Amino acid sequence: SASMAFAGGNGISKLRYATYAAAALAHLMLTAGDAVGVLAGDGRALVPPRTGGHHLHPVLLALRRLEAAGDPPLGAALD
């Protein structure tokens, strides 16, 4: 959502913090052999889940391209 653009005194937005955490978890999960994917707040799959270290790059690219905007229908996305 647009509120993810909020940045505290250090200038790093909530969205950037979230993407840093997601990137770290993706790395750990792929190392453990688990499948990782990226799903946008509006329910669009940006990167389908896959396994293997080679899959980290597309995940990181998708996370970097995320933008804070709008008011996504989270209820519908979760359904």
Side-chain angles (χ1 to χ4, degrees):
S1 71
S3 69
M4 292 297 284
F6 175 79
N10 61 7
I12 299 175
S13 70
K14 294 189 310 183
L15 178 61
R16 275 310 127 219
Y17 274 121
T19 59
Y20 296 159
L25 288 172
H27 172 71
L28 290 172
M29 292 174 67
L30 288 169
T31 301
D34 295 321
V36 173
V38 178
L39 183 71
D42 62 3
R44 289 179 300 121
L46 302 177
V47 178
R50 303 237 190 292
T51 59
H54 63 281
H55 187 58
L56 184 60
H57 190 256
V59 168
L60 296 178
L61 286 176
L63 291 173
R64 183 177 175 106
R65 292 180 181 137
L66 289 175
E67 295 180 9
D71 190 16
L74 294 179
L78 293 174
D79 285 340

